[in-house]
Amino acid sequence: MSTQKNRGRCLLLFLGLALLSWGLYECQYQYSYWRDYQTRPWAYSKDKNAKLLVGEWQGSYTDPDGIAKSISLEIFEPLSDKERRKQANRSSRRRTRGGLGSRKDKRLFEGVASVTSRLGQEDYVLSGSVGEDDFHQLKLQFGAADEAKRLQPNFALNLSESGQWAEDAMTLRMGFSYFKADGSSFSSSADPRFDHIATLTLKRK
């Protein structure tokens, strides 16, 4: 009889600890979202219909050679739900400032882009950040998705001088890097094309 009682107590203790662990995990998970609603309003919102920076955009521009190009761009969520759950589970065992990242990290994002023109297709990975005081100001940097498949000779997207977004529109002032047919980069101060800044106007897909 005593053995059965001990087993029952052990089972209740085990269930209690499991429930406590789940509760801590769920609290950490929900708190993570709550914090992001406050610190990343450009990426997360309780409103499912909110117009955020994350998502797909498309537009067009003219490069320094006067070639018309179309661009399709996607900005990813900084933290997917799967990653958030994994982080919450890890944080429930070893808590580190909520696992929320630094203030600067809260403004960073990544994405991909594809540019098409009569020259062919250019595939990019991109990284960027939103302004600290105004989340509608942003900066972007583009890099080749695969250096071996870089389109060349070509003026490739490089760094944005400035950028802003609101609702369904995004505007970027972009600089370029030129790559010769052999893959090497080239620039000339005597050639105005290398100082060309293009205005990219994008709309939400």
Side-chain angles (χ1 to χ4, degrees), residues 172-185:
L172 301 169
R173 284 176 48 79
M174 292 298 307
F176 297 82
S177 293
Y178 183 74
F179 291 88
K180 298 192 295 184
D182 63 4
S184 61
S185 60

Side-chain angles (χ1 to χ4, degrees), residues 119-190:
L119 298 178
Q121 181 170 316
E122 308 165 48
D123 293 318
Y124 295 94
V125 291
L126 62 89
S127 58
S129 65
V130 294
E132 184 173 8
D133 298 322
D134 182 355
F135 297 134
H136 289 275
Q137 304 297 317
L138 70 153
K139 293 182 179 180
L140 284 177
Q141 179 173 3
F142 289 77
D146 186 342
E147 291 288 348
K149 296 180 180 179
R150 182 190 289 277
L151 183 64
Q152 53 203 38
N154 179 52
F155 276 98
L157 291 171
N158 187 14
L159 291 169
S160 66
E161 283 204 341
S162 62
Q164 59 184 8
W165 71 279
E167 296 291 325
D168 295 320
M170 181 191 300
T171 302
L172 301 169
R173 284 176 48 79
M174 292 298 307
F176 297 82
S177 293
Y178 183 74
F179 291 88
K180 298 192 295 184
D182 63 4
S184 61
S185 60
F186 177 76
S187 181
S188 171
S189 58

